[in-house]
Amino acid sequence: MLQLKQKLSEKIDQHRPRTTRLLKEFGEVKVDEVKIRQVIGGMRGLKCLVTDISYLDPYEGIRYRGMTLPEVFEKLPKPEGKQYPYVEGLFYLLLTGEIPTKDQVLEIVEEFKKRRQLPQYVIDVLRAMPTDSHPMVMFSTAVLVMQRESKFAKFYREGYNKWTAWEYMLEDAMNLLPKLPTIAAYIYRMKYRSDIHIPEDPSQDFGGHFAHMMGIPEPFDDVARMYFIIHADHESGNVSAHTGHLVASALSDPYYAISAMLDGLAGPLHGLANQEVLRWIQGMMKKFGDKLPSEDDMKQYVWDTLNAGQVIPGFGHAVLRKTDPRYMVQREFALKHLKDDLLFKYVDMLFKIVPPILKEQGKAKNPWPNVDAHSGTILWYYGVREYEFYTVMFGIGRSIGVLSNIIWDRALGYPIERPKSITTDMLEEIAGIK
Ligand code: CMX
């Protein structure tokens, strides 16, 4: 048995009595109250989901299993000579809550290597799709078409046991996760690199494999590790994580759940924002003749965007109320590797100029940049210039968190999700105006 599975099994055994006790003895204790603005307003702020994988503090940003991103980067084992840790180690951490030893990580690295090749039918399906399909459509389709491989679905058909179901979810996750970089790179090279594909290098870990299959040299392997780790999880209520959890709650297997969560991630207010950021900044660069504008000119451009009724992409957040630490991680990388790049200089200037303008406008609750304000810049610098691909990379990262969550969902026996809806008439009655 993998050390990961052994450890996870111990953790699950320790955790189950906590959930059982809360339900049995404290089931009627009130957690929150629901206001009309939350019922109409996308359930914003409502405490009605539980996850132990990550927690998003509005002022501090994301913590994975209690650790800030700098702590995660410092503590997880790294490949020899690399700046960022093994992505496989993050999977171990998110699942078990413990920092793995290098040996524990390398076991997963080796296991993933055995499972990352694509079945031919996945390639055939991708090749049969219209060539102008969005890469997120291709990515989601490739995941969905592999549903026939699901061990969880087979287990359900052949006699389901609620308490061992997580083992089959883990098995599916172990099969699906390592294939995601392979699928993504295949889509990339098929669509944008003359359909010329690169043979696998068996020495590569998760991040290195992605960079290699994309055909981009070092330090893009480290960019991939950093990028996948910072995008992995953002607690449970965001569209992608929540969709994954919701779909899996119907006992749909991880292939269904991941395909569905990718569809939510593809929305312009969520994962597609990184594409929008670059489109917007490059529009600005074109206007200013590929030179850095004066502060006043940039301010005017930002106001023009707002006055046209548009949002400033990459700024604001539904939960965060300060600069996203995922933005800061990327900024640190950029300051080290691409500080003279013009695009980065624009991003740097926007960091200074946009927040006071959003404050002055007074609408956005959070005027600070989020993760998406930066990510396209680094990818562009290393030659990934097809914006529509950026969300695919976000999707690889987010899958690590969603898979960890839905494995735990089954481990703790969470039920099918089914909130109650009411009509506008009923809301008006509750408000006392009818
Ligand atoms: N530019 C201009 N206006 C903004 C804004 C921005 N960046 N962010 C929020 N606002 C506006 C909202 O559109 C809203 O206006 P209306 O009242 O006219 O509808 C008002 O401020 C209040 O919104 P909010 O409560 O601060 O933000 P929400 O929780 O509703 O939305 C988000 C959050 C991220 C969708 C929003 O800030 C936004 O659209 N940002 C730009 C897109 C973006 O960067 N998305 C990526 C988010 C990260 C991720 O999930 O991947």
Side-chain angles (χ1 to χ4, degrees):
M1 189 193 280
L2 277 181
Q3 295 179 69
L4 169 66
K5 187 170 179 187
Q6 180 62 43
K7 177 62 74 182
L8 183 55
S9 175
E10 288 164 25
K11 294 284 172 181
I12 289 169
D13 286 344
Q14 285 163 18
H15 195 111
R16 275 179 178 155
R18 295 171 63 195
T19 304
T20 309
R21 180 163 186 234
L22 282 169
L23 258 179
K24 273 205 171 140
E25 296 177 34
F26 305 98
E28 298 309 312
V29 174
K30 199 158 111 182
V31 177
D32 211 345
E33 55 183 7
V34 190
K35 304 209 171 96
I36 287 179
R37 74 172 150 72
Q38 293 172 306
V39 175
I40 296 177
M43 296 186 275
R44 198 71 88 258
L46 194 64
K47 296 189 188 79
C48 58
L49 290 163
V50 51
T51 176
D52 298 293
I53 307 290
S54 69
Y55 181 75
L56 179 57
D57 180 90
Y59 295 96
E60 198 190 48
I62 193 67
R63 275 181 184 262
Y64 292 158
R65 292 287 189 176
M67 281 171 233
T68 62
L69 288 177
E71 281 167 353
V72 167
F73 285 131
E74 191 209 312
K75 290 183 178 162
L76 283 179
K78 299 180 181 66
E80 214 53 47
K82 299 296 174 186
Q83 198 186 337
Y84 292 96
Y86 285 106
V87 175
E88 292 87 337
L90 180 79
F91 187 50
Y92 187 104
L93 169 66
L94 294 187
L95 276 174
T96 66
E98 287 187 13
I99 295 286
T101 62
K102 189 143 187 182
D103 176 53
Q104 286 164 332
V105 175
L106 290 179
E107 197 183 34
I108 307 173
V109 171
E110 290 313 310
E111 200 58 37
F112 276 9
K113 283 182 191 171
K114 291 183 218 152
R115 304 183 191 216
R116 68 190 179 197
Q117 297 72 23
L118 302 184
Q120 182 58 39
Y121 67 84
V122 174
I123 292 171
D124 295 343
V125 167
L126 288 173
R127 304 192 74 80
M129 293 179 75
T131 49
D132 63 352
S133 300
H134 193 284
M136 281 300 277
V137 175
M138 294 185 152
F139 195 33
S140 171
T141 303
V143 171
L144 189 60
V145 79
M146 286 192 290
Q147 188 278 337
R148 59 192 287 283
E149 317 263 346
S150 172
K151 302 285 186 269
F152 179 87
K154 183 167 183 284
F155 172 65
Y156 187 82
R157 282 194 306 273
E158 293 176 359
Y160 188 69
N161 173 337
K162 188 174 178 180
W163 301 115
T164 54
W166 69 268
E167 296 181 29
Y168 299 86
M169 295 292 279
L170 176 65
E171 189 59 21
D172 278 356
M174 296 287 297
N175 280 327
L176 176 57
L177 190 53
K179 290 187 180 65
L180 298 180
T182 320
I183 297 170
Y186 191 91
I187 293 170
Y188 185 77
R189 297 209 53 101
M190 180 175 72
K191 272 180 89 70
Y192 315 115
R193 290 293 178 272
S194 313
D195 206 7
I196 297 168
H197 300 274
I198 297 169
E200 177 180 341
D201 171 358
S203 71
Q204 299 289 353
D205 64 303
F206 194 95
H209 171 66
F210 177 71
H212 173 78
M213 300 302 274
M214 291 282 287
I216 308 177
E218 292 175 355
F220 194 67
D221 55 334
D222 256 341
V223 171
R225 291 182 194 98
M226 179 260 283
Y227 197 90
F228 296 150
I229 290 176
I230 64 174
H231 286 87
D233 209 35
H234 222 221
E235 66 170 49
S236 275
N238 64 79
V239 169
S240 50
H242 190 194
T243 305
H245 165 78
L246 173 67
V247 171
S249 85
L251 298 189
S252 298
D253 59 62
Y255 295 87
Y256 281 124
I258 293 297
S259 178
M261 82 85 181
L262 290 170
D263 299 343
L265 190 68
L269 294 188
H270 192 15
L272 208 76
N274 50 23
Q275 156 177 341
E276 298 302 316
V277 170
L278 217 54
R279 195 194 307 280
W280 181 71
I281 298 181
Q282 291 189 330
M284 190 177 351
M285 285 169 82
K286 201 166 161 203
K287 178 172 168 153
F288 296 122
D290 287 332
K291 286 196 297 276
L292 212 55
S294 68
E295 287 199 3
D296 283 346
D297 284 347
M298 188 181 267
K299 279 181 191 163
Q300 192 53 50
Y301 194 92
V302 172
W303 274 114
D304 289 348
T305 303
L306 290 173
N307 292 336
Q310 291 161 21
V311 296
I312 306 299
F315 286 78
H317 199 272
V319 178
L320 274 171
R321 294 295 175 258
K322 67 157 238 185
T323 298
D324 192 335
R326 302 172 299 174
Y327 176 95
M328 293 310 285
V329 166
Q330 297 182 90
R331 180 175 164 79
E332 214 175 282
F333 181 94
L335 284 168
K336 187 163 173 190
H337 294 276
L338 46 136
K339 75 174 191 328
D340 296 325
D341 179 61
L342 181 63
L343 193 55
F344 172 65
K345 286 186 173 166
Y346 265 76
V347 170
D348 190 38
M349 224 171 136
L350 287 165
F351 187 30
K352 188 171 156 203
I353 279 175
V354 174
I357 294 181
L358 286 178
K359 277 187 200 164
E360 191 181 328
Q361 192 208 27
K363 275 170 77 177
K365 294 193 187 67
N366 175 30
W368 304 106
N370 61 58
V371 64
D372 294 318
H374 214 307
S375 40
T377 311
I378 298 177
L379 300 179
W380 179 272
Y381 181 80
Y382 288 105
V384 185
R385 301 204 158 175
E386 301 76 12
Y387 322 141
E388 55 175 21
F389 188 73
Y390 297 167
T391 316
V392 173
M393 288 185 62
F394 191 156
I396 298 174
R398 184 50 52 91
S399 299
I400 307 166
V402 173
L403 285 167
S404 305
N405 270 292
I406 62 179
I407 291 166
W408 270 96
D409 288 351
R410 294 292 71 77
L412 298 177
Y414 289 160
I416 187 164
E417 194 176 295
R418 190 15 173 136
K420 181 81 186 89
S421 46
I422 53 177
T423 65
T424 307
D425 278 343
M426 290 172 187
L427 270 187
E428 285 168 344
E429 271 170 36
I430 292 168
I433 53 171
K434 195 159 188 152

